Amino acid sequence: MNGLRTFAPTVLVAALGTTFGSALVIAPGIVAEALGAAGLDDLTPVKAILSVLGWLFLGIALYVGAIVTANTCATLIAGQTRTIALQRLIGATGATLRSRITRTGLLVGLVGGVIGTIAGTALSALFVAVLRSTGFLPDTSYTLVPWELVLPLVAVVLATWAAFAAGSRRVLTVTPLEALSSTVEPSHDDVRSGRARRAWSIVLMAVGTLLMLAGLVLSPASPVAVLPAALGGFVSFAGVAVGATVVMPPVLQLIGRLGSRDPVVLLAGRNAMRAPGRSSRATIGLVIGVTLLVTFAVALGIMQHVLETQLAAMGGDSMTPDMVQAQRDFFVQVNAVISVIVGFSAVIAAVGVVNALALGVLQRRRELGLLRVLGLTGAQVRRMIVTEAVQMVVAAVVTGLVLGTIYGWVGGQTMLGSLGTVVPPVLPLSTVGIVVAGALVLAVVATVAPVRRAMRVPPTEALAVD
């Protein structure tokens, strides 16, 4: 339970986060040095602005990575409840087991951070070499190993350690008596009974909503109103993440009713509700990724719409179709760049989803064996698992689209509210298509390999698995 191999997906998450952070730390220096070589002076403000933006996106990636890591740790611990209970039975304390897991988290973060730092530096060097050879960057020396490179490494190590500490809290609640039980997930009622979690979730969502409303009210006076609105978005979404085991099950239940006349589909939907903790951990990472992508897409769509309206009113007949098309092309390019940057956080979230779904299948070999003994064919079991994954992914996508549209509209409206116009949300259909297609592919890919491994085990042998 405390080996690096067990937490290999978490090492990957830490490595991806540090790779992203290293590239964001190196990039401002490269841009400043390139502009300096081109003859531009006083580049300190440019580098400072790029650094602030880089740390903003790195903070988002760390936030996503921490949630994914905590969920992965909690999923592994939920699947090892009986083993932990046996260790408690022979004398181990919950605090001792938890400290062992958190030390592993520190090692996981360090290994992933070092790998990510090396990968980020190497990719930056390759990127600079390619751009210099094509003439896009001036032929001068660039700093590829700034002193700030240690900051993403330290941030990822601390975030991973903190995520392991948060995800391993379940160890403290495992009792020796649970060694005699085969239950690895609490029931829906048990999950909902966590009053502290529910209270924190409600408080965070309420405070975040009030901050966003304050930003909207103040937006006609100044664009600075975007700051409380942005803080409100982070706080309210933290409430959604904390209360995932309360927020996501109703959405999963609603999605599970679609096609429930088919017994396999009905069984898939009830499986998701039978283990709401596992389902919520598998979906919340994807909710974060979709929300991020949709938020920036909606905000940019609103900005494009308002700018085109204002320029058309100011320019009148002087705005030619070529000028309008040039503006649209500019926003398409900006949206593509931001989508790529934000998409890296979505990739980290996708890794968490794949890992959670795969672990969920592998930890249910006994259940799958029992279904096959009761008469379900291998094809029906495979279809049930894929359907369950698709239902969870659809629930996550729907939730992310709703939240992202709200956050994107609030962000765009608070930034441009001083212009005196109220703009409805603008959701690009291309973004929706990419998100839906990518999520469905993710659901299928995440379950193919673990289902194949589970189906190779004979039903009688699967029933003997503890």
Side-chain angles (χ1 to χ4, degrees):
M1 179 66 192
N2 58 349
L4 275 179
R5 186 175 180 180
T6 304
F7 295 102
T10 308
V11 174
L12 176 60
V13 169
L16 287 173
T18 317
T19 301
F20 185 49
S22 300
L24 291 176
V25 166
I26 295 171
I30 293 175
V31 172
E33 289 167 347
L35 293 175
L40 298 176
D41 298 325
D42 194 17
L43 300 173
T44 303
V46 175
K47 186 176 180 180
I49 292 173
L50 292 176
S51 297
V52 170
L53 291 175
W55 280 104
L56 172 63
F57 286 113
L58 176 59
I60 293 173
L62 289 175
Y63 179 72
V64 175
I67 290 179
V68 168
T69 300
N71 287 340
T72 300
C73 184
T75 301
L76 287 168
I77 290 172
Q80 296 289 325
T81 298
R82 293 192 67 192
T83 302
I84 295 171
L86 285 171
Q87 292 175 332
R88 295 291 309 277
L89 193 63
I90 60 177
T93 64
T96 301
L97 294 174
R98 190 185 184 192
S99 65
R100 187 184 304 169
I101 294 173
T102 53
R103 286 197 302 269
T104 303
L106 199 62
L107 180 61
V108 165
L110 184 60
V111 171
V114 170
I115 294 174
T117 301
I118 295 173
T121 305
L123 289 173
S124 299
L126 178 62
F127 185 73
V128 168
V130 171
L131 292 183
R132 286 176 64 180
S133 64
T134 58
F136 187 82
L137 286 178
D139 190 8
T140 185
S141 60
Y142 295 95
T143 304
L144 295 174
V145 189
W147 71 266
E148 296 93 342
L149 200 61
V150 71
L151 298 179
L153 174 61
V154 173
V156 167
V157 171
L158 292 178
T160 305
W161 172 78
F164 266 72
S168 60
R169 285 177 300 180
R170 166 95 172 121
V171 173
L172 298 176
T173 64
V174 176
T175 63
L177 188 62
E178 292 183 59
L180 305 177
S181 172
S182 61
T183 302
V184 298
E185 287 283 353
S187 67
H188 192 190
D189 292 335
D190 292 337
V191 172
R192 290 181 62 91
S193 64
R195 295 182 179 179
R197 176 181 290 270
R198 193 189 317 180
W200 272 109
S201 174
I202 293 173
V203 169
L204 290 172
M205 285 191 285
V207 171
T209 302
L210 289 175
L211 286 171
M212 288 191 293
L213 289 175
L216 289 172
V217 171
L218 297 173
S219 61
S222 172
V224 179
V226 72
L227 297 179
L231 178 61
F234 278 108
V235 172
S236 62
F237 192 83
V240 174
V242 169
T245 51
V246 179
V247 174
M248 293 308 300
V251 183
L252 289 166
Q253 189 174 25
L254 181 62
I255 299 298
R257 292 177 181 175
L258 303 177
S260 58
R261 292 184 178 181
D262 187 331
V264 174
V265 177
L266 178 63
L267 186 59
R270 291 187 174 178
N271 279 337
M273 288 304 300
R274 185 176 58 84
R278 181 181 64 217
S279 302
S280 299
R281 288 192 294 268
T283 54
I284 192 62
L286 188 57
V287 171
I288 296 172
V290 174
T291 301
L292 285 172
L293 288 172
V294 175
T295 297
F296 283 95
V298 170
L300 286 173
I302 290 175
M303 292 176 64
Q304 179 182 354
H305 176 77
V306 171
L307 183 59
E308 289 180 355
T309 303
Q310 292 290 328
L311 290 177
M314 293 169 57
D317 297 333
S318 62
M319 289 293 295
T320 63
D322 291 338
M323 296 173 64
V324 174
Q325 186 61 42
Q327 293 173 14
R328 291 174 179 172
D329 292 341
F330 170 76
F331 274 99
V332 168
Q333 294 172 3
V334 172
N335 192 20
V337 171
I338 293 180
S339 295
V340 169
I341 297 175
V342 177
F344 209 96
S345 298
V347 169
I348 296 175
V351 172
V353 173
V354 171
N355 185 47
L357 291 174
L359 284 173
V361 173
L362 294 178
Q363 291 174 355
R364 293 161 57 196
R365 287 196 300 172
R366 185 185 184 95
E367 172 192 328
L368 301 181
L370 178 61
L371 290 174
R372 292 169 67 188
V373 168
L374 292 175
L376 265 69
T377 64
Q380 287 177 316
V381 172
R382 280 191 290 269
R383 186 160 70 91
M384 179 198 72
I385 295 173
V386 173
T387 302
E388 184 180 341
V390 169
Q391 288 176 347
M392 288 192 289
V393 165
V394 170
V397 168
V398 170
T399 306
L401 286 173
V402 172
L403 292 175
T405 302
I406 294 173
Y407 291 146
W409 177 78
V410 171
Q413 189 62 47
T414 51
M415 280 191 294
L416 303 173
S418 58
L419 298 177
T421 58
V422 177
V423 182
V426 179
L427 182 58
L429 295 180
S430 58
T431 301
V432 177
I434 292 173
V435 167
V436 172
L440 293 178
V441 171
L442 181 68
V444 176
V445 171
T447 55
V448 168
V451 167
R452 186 177 300 169
R453 287 175 57 185
M455 289 297 99
R456 288 175 182 170
V457 181
T460 53
E461 184 178 338
L463 288 174
V465 175
D466 288 328

